[in-house]
Amino acid sequence: MGVEKEILLRAENIHKVFTVSEKEEQYVHVLKGISLEIHSGEIISIVGASGSGKSTLLHVLGTLDKPNRGNVFFNGKNIVELSDEELVQIRNKEIGFVFQFHYLLPEFSALENVMLPSLISKNTMKQAKERAALLLEEVGLQERLEHKPSELSGGEQQRVAVARALMNEPKIIFADEPTGNLDEENGEKLFQLFLRLNESFQQTIVFVTHNEKFSILGKRTLYLENGKIFFQKVV
Ligand SMILES: Nc1ncnc2c1ncn2[C@@H]1O[C@H](COP(=O)(O)OP(=O)(O)O)[C@@H](O)[C@H]1O
Ligand SMILES: [Mg+2]
């Protein structure tokens, strides 16, 4: 029997309803009762058709959005009950995000972009710089520290975004179709990086993809359909 890993995140009966028009009573019921547990050190993939609610689920799990019903316990705290200020803290220190588009700041170098989360959490310039350089080396970009995002390839930009997500040693990384804008080869490279982070550092990672080949890299895959998890596969 394996050692029981600690539960990092637990979602209980999550519902999310978007109001399109209050006046015309138009609502979209996107998440329809999702419950799940994420253990520390897991790497999980989420797949499902476009519109099935994958991004919405990731936003709710990652504290970017609140559910209309249900609870999300992150690291023992119910995020549904936290203030915006507390959520900002959690997002800066404990959660890393990687999106389909890199959202790097165009005027800043790769190094400066990666340093930002650390500076925001009030570490010194020296500390930030050292760790950022280390992480950029970890993602294979030691030769690109001073490059602006526009001087990097799509694959390199996404690896900078991964380094930035790792900056404050988050407990969990959420990645929403991180290879959606990349060709097959660069997509492969990014997912190999995720696997290495998970295997070498037990980094907890939850990623959304609609590429079958990448989805099987998750040790557990959640299949989302019409706002519900209809199937779970554990490797
Ligand atoms: N802010 C919003 N307002 C209204 N509807 C939304 C909003 N965000 C998402 N939706 C709807 O919710 C459904 C699920 O969206 P999403 O979670 O982005 O799906 P996926 O990431 O699986 O493609 C879609 O039908 C989408 O149009
Ligand atoms: Mg999406």
Side-chain angles (χ1 to χ4, degrees):
M1 283 224 313
V3 180
E4 275 294 302
K5 288 264 193 169
E6 102 189 70
I7 294 173
L8 181 59
L9 191 148
R10 190 170 86 240
E12 291 175 349
N13 194 28
I14 297 301
H15 285 259
K16 183 69 190 177
V17 180
F18 289 112
T19 305
V20 182
S21 159
E22 192 113 35
K23 214 172 82 204
E24 294 169 38
E25 293 187 22
Q26 280 183 22
Y27 305 99
V28 194
H29 197 159
V30 178
L31 302 180
K32 299 172 181 169
I34 289 191
S35 300
L36 58 86
E37 280 177 356
I38 297 169
H39 295 81
S40 189
E42 275 199 288
I43 179 161
I44 299 176
S45 52
I46 299 178
V47 296
S50 177
S52 56
K54 304 182 297 295
S55 294
T56 306
L57 176 61
L58 226 58
H59 290 169
V60 170
L61 297 179
T63 79
L64 291 170
D65 206 352
K66 284 190 175 177
N68 298 76
R69 185 149 36 111
N71 295 305
V72 181
F73 295 92
F74 178 71
N75 214 14
K77 285 185 200 151
N78 190 354
I79 61 165
V80 171
E81 293 168 352
L82 298 182
S83 68
D84 287 345
E85 217 165 299
E86 288 170 306
L87 290 176
V88 167
Q89 286 289 324
I90 287 186
R91 281 197 291 269
N92 176 242
K93 293 196 196 315
E94 307 194 37
I95 300 178
F97 292 98
V98 182
F99 299 98
Q100 185 170 349
F101 186 69
H102 56 70
Y103 297 115
L104 298 172
L105 298 177
E107 301 300 321
F108 290 103
S109 68
L111 188 72
E112 289 164 340
N113 267 285
V114 178
M115 286 168 68
L116 274 180
S118 178
L119 296 177
I120 288 168
S121 71
K122 304 212 168 46
N123 288 312
T124 67
M125 195 65 106
K126 185 166 175 285
Q127 284 171 322
K129 208 169 198 164
E130 281 173 8
R131 179 157 169 81
L134 199 78
L135 286 170
L136 283 166
E137 189 179 337
E138 182 66 41
V139 303
L141 295 174
Q142 60 278 5
E143 312 285 323
R144 299 283 185 276
L145 303 191
E146 300 308 326
H147 287 232
K148 300 261 172 73
S150 63
E151 298 160 352
L152 298 168
S153 73
E156 290 171 338
Q157 290 166 346
Q158 277 304 63
R159 281 184 282 140
V160 175
V162 173
R164 180 185 54 186
L166 289 166
M167 191 61 189
N168 288 342
E169 301 180 66
K171 294 203 165 58
I172 189 164
I173 288 201
F174 291 103
D176 193 356
E177 304 204 27
T179 63
N181 287 328
L182 303 182
D183 59 35
E184 192 77 9
E185 190 187 331
N186 278 297
E188 181 81 43
K189 242 180 165 169
L190 193 78
F191 274 111
Q192 288 307 328
L193 171 62
F194 279 166
L195 279 187
R196 190 155 51 80
L197 293 170
N198 176 254
E199 279 162 15
S200 307
F201 308 109
Q202 288 72 53
Q203 177 67 55
T204 312
I205 300 175
V206 180
F207 64 90
V208 167
T209 180
H210 53 222
N211 185 325
E212 185 99 21
K213 189 172 139 206
F214 295 143
S215 71
I216 59 171
L217 297 176
K219 298 288 182 290
R220 180 151 69 103
T221 304
L222 309 179
Y223 293 83
L224 216 63
E225 191 175 278
N226 196 16
K228 287 182 183 164
I229 295 173
F230 79 99
F231 186 62
Q232 240 194 89
K233 193 174 77 188
V234 183
V235 181

